[in-house]
Amino acid sequence: MEESIFGALQLLVVGMITVFLILTIVINLGKALIVLVNKFAPAEETSPKKNPTAATNSIDANTQAIIKATVDKLTNGKGTVTHITKI
Amino acid sequence: MNEIFNNLYEMTALSNLIADPSYLIMYAIAFVLLYLGIVKHYEPLLLIPIAFGVLIANFPGGEMGVLQASETGEIIKDGKVYNIWEMSLPAIAHDLGLMNFLYYMLIKTGFLPPIIFMGVGALTDFGPMLRNLRLSIFGAAAQLGIFAVLICSFLMGFTLKEAASLGIIGGADGPTAIYTTIKLAPHLLGPIAIAAYSYMALVPVIIPLVVKLTCSKKELMINMKEQDKLYPSKNEIKNMRVIKIIFPIAVTTVVAIFVPSAVSLIGMLMFGNLLKEIGSDTSRLFDTVSNSIMNTATVFLGLCVGATMTVQAFLNWTTIGIVVGGFLAFALSITSGIMMVKVVNLFSKKKINPLIGATGLSAVPMASRVCNEIATKYDPKNHVLNYCMSSNISGVIGSAVAAGVLISFLS
């Protein structure tokens, strides 16, 4: 790169164009992803949440609450407890 | 007896302090930074290690100050010349002290900035950006300050490489500023790192100042949620989880193809984010990256950056020029983001609050929090945090790309 004011101006032009270009690509990439995911992998239909209590009468409420809290933390709130079996 | 007292006096730092009172200025700077971090809560996780680094680096005889190497790697200590590139790490620790060992191992090698980016990625949620993709473009506009200050600094007498390192402060991204400076002008790393991190910590002061000078009350009261109701978005997201997993992989691939020199930053940012988004399968890695690794890296980065701010390195005209130029870069980046929003508002029915442009620089999420506070001050119901996060996160990508361009053209 030439050590002159033209070199600095060239960097300004090239740099700003590149940043705009890359972010425009990222934005359009995001839009394309949304369209594709909406088409090919829309959210799985969530079945009505089963009440784990009904299936696990033998486990006390306190233990169930601890298990639910642990699953919630480990899955970042995405997982649900549907059945608890004592082994 | 007199000799004993004389030796005792010489043993303490008092003799040096009396001989060179400029150390007191550095203590004052350290105390002000500590005050801002502890009492005012300005980025305490960052500012307190930096401020303490400044403090311990400036006790004569303590050997905790980082000795800056010249462009050829030469360091002069106690009249003896060392070449940092020819010294082993144990020799650095033995001859130059613990802080120089940490600095040359973790910072000068460029190790910590990508590691910090990985932690930042793990703590970043791309959800607000994906929900408001249109606003992400303001993350590009806010990079203008980098290049504008590059030109100003060049005209002031800095070389292009030095000017680029100075300009990158305008990206408001500490790790990016350090990484770029290591590649382009390593001899300026100390003052640039200090300026970058100090201004990042002072975001709650600088953004309101620039906003006050450039925005009207009417503009600041533009309610983004009401605008969304009037002109709803066409991009409804049906499965955010899948998009959030694919997005970091896709962005890394695209950026790697176009600007390979930005991959070390963007790649690590996206890797950290991917670990977060995958969920339970990588939760242990996510936990390590976002807590243990990130916290360790922050502690060492903060202390080492602070320790570069020795009286010899800081109180000179080059450093003062960098501090002034850095502020200009920072303010210009915020202003250019705001101005682009104003231009878009001229042509668009759906109005945008200019605060979204002000967050186009990095400093995630502090810039967004500050702008949200400004918006709610004018209208308590106008929460713009999610919208600001969109341009704020894209600003991280934008500044890393700008750094990549500078490194590609100048190194």
Side-chain angles (χ1 to χ4, degrees), chain B residues 25-40:
Chain B
I25 299 173
M26 301 314 294
Y27 299 156
I29 293 171
F31 294 147
V32 168
L33 294 178
L34 279 170
Y35 170 80
L36 292 175
I38 298 168
V39 182
K40 293 281 180 184

Side-chain angles (χ1 to χ4, degrees), chain B residues 108-260:
Chain B
K108 203 80 169 184
T109 51
F111 174 72
L112 278 191
I115 296 295
I116 296 259
F117 250 62
M118 184 171 70
V120 170
L123 295 171
T124 301
D125 179 10
F126 281 104
M129 182 178 164
L130 289 163
R131 280 187 205 95
N132 303 287
L133 277 168
R134 193 177 74 112
L135 303 177
S136 304
I137 200 68
F138 299 117
Q143 309 309 322
L144 186 66
I146 294 175
F147 297 100
V149 169
L150 184 154
I151 292 173
C152 294
S153 317
F154 181 72
L155 291 174
M156 280 167 61
F158 287 95
T159 65
L160 263 185
K161 286 182 178 182
E162 291 171 342
S165 305
L166 205 164
I168 203 76
I169 297 171
D173 200 327
T176 305
I178 290 177
Y179 190 78
T180 310
T181 310
I182 289 166
K183 297 278 179 193
L184 299 180
H187 55 290
L188 294 182
L189 185 58
I192 284 176
I194 275 290
Y197 275 99
S198 302
Y199 291 138
M200 273 173 71
L202 294 174
V203 157
V205 179
I206 302 172
I207 288 184
L209 181 76
V210 177
V211 166
K212 204 174 174 182
L213 292 171
T214 51
C215 301
S216 67
K217 188 181 172 187
K218 190 184 163 194
E219 287 171 323
L220 294 174
M221 286 185 74
I222 293 173
N223 191 311
M224 295 299 292
K225 277 183 190 159
E226 280 176 15
Q227 292 293 322
D228 268 354
K229 278 178 197 163
L230 286 171
Y231 309 99
S233 168
K234 290 169 194 166
N235 301 322
E236 191 207 350
I237 299 173
K238 291 181 182 167
N239 195 342
M240 183 59 103
R241 181 176 142 73
V242 172
I243 293 172
K244 277 184 173 178
I245 291 174
I246 301 173
F247 188 70
I249 302 168
V251 170
T252 307
T253 311
V254 168
V255 174
I257 290 168
F258 285 93
V259 195

Side-chain angles (χ1 to χ4, degrees), chain B residues 251-382:
Chain B
V251 170
T252 307
T253 311
V254 168
V255 174
I257 290 168
F258 285 93
V259 195
S261 49
V263 173
S264 48
L265 294 174
I266 295 281
M268 293 304 265
L269 179 87
M270 295 300 170
F271 171 63
N273 187 257
L274 184 65
L275 292 181
K276 170 183 177 280
E277 296 304 343
I278 288 172
S280 56
D281 285 348
T282 51
S283 63
R284 281 166 54 193
L285 299 184
F286 161 68
D287 186 47
T288 310
V289 166
S290 60
N291 290 305
S292 320
I293 292 180
M294 180 68 166
N295 292 341
T296 311
T298 307
V299 166
F300 286 122
L301 185 85
L303 276 176
C304 290
V305 165
T308 58
M309 205 164 143
T310 56
V311 71
Q312 297 82 4
F314 193 74
L315 296 181
N316 61 58
W317 287 110
T318 307
T319 305
I320 291 165
I322 288 168
V323 171
V324 173
F327 179 81
L328 196 67
F330 216 91
L332 272 173
S333 292
I334 299 167
T335 310
S336 50
I338 291 173
M339 290 306 158
M340 188 172 170
V341 172
K342 291 189 181 210
V343 171
V344 170
N345 278 348
L346 286 177
F347 302 101
S348 170
K349 282 183 190 171
K350 188 176 181 177
K351 302 296 178 201
I352 300 165
N353 194 313
L355 289 168
I356 281 103
T359 49
L361 72 174
S362 304
V364 179
M366 193 172 208
S368 296
R369 279 205 311 262
V370 170
C371 285
N372 191 55
E373 276 174 31
I374 298 172
T376 49
K377 205 167 81 181
Y378 287 92
D379 174 4
K381 288 180 185 167
N382 191 11

Side-chain angles (χ1 to χ4, degrees), chain A residues 1-5 9 11-12 14-16 18-19 22-23 25 27 29-31 33-34 37-38 41 43 74, chain B residues 133 137 139-141 144 147 151 154-155 160 236 238-239 243 246-247 250 254 258 276 280 340 401 405 409-410:
Chain A
M1 175 63 65
E2 197 187 342
E3 278 278 334
S4 70
I5 188 66
L9 284 168
L11 267 178
L12 167 80
V14 173
M16 284 310 287
T18 311
V19 173
I22 295 289
L23 278 180
I25 292 171
I27 290 168
L29 188 71
K31 284 181 182 172
L33 273 179
I34 291 170
V37 171
N38 282 352
L74 283 175
Chain B
L133 277 168
I137 200 68
L144 186 66
F147 297 100
I151 292 173
F154 181 72
L155 291 174
L160 263 185
E236 191 207 350
K238 291 181 182 167
N239 195 342
I243 293 172
I246 301 173
F247 188 70
V254 168
F258 285 93
K276 170 183 177 280
S280 56
M340 188 172 170
V401 170
V405 172
F409 274 76
L410 295 172

Side-chain angles (χ1 to χ4, degrees), chain B residues 13-14 16-32 54-55 58-60 310-312 314-315:
Chain B
L14 282 172
N16 297 73
L17 288 178
I18 290 165
D20 185 3
S22 54
Y23 282 105
L24 298 175
I25 299 173
M26 301 314 294
Y27 299 156
I29 293 171
F31 294 147
V32 168
V54 175
L55 188 66
N58 285 288
F59 290 108
T310 56
V311 71
Q312 297 82 4
F314 193 74
L315 296 181

Side-chain angles (χ1 to χ4, degrees), chain B residues 35-52:
Chain B
Y35 170 80
L36 292 175
I38 298 168
V39 182
K40 293 281 180 184
H41 308 291
Y42 290 167
E43 290 273 331
L45 295 178
L46 209 56
L47 209 48
I48 292 169
I50 290 177
F52 213 81

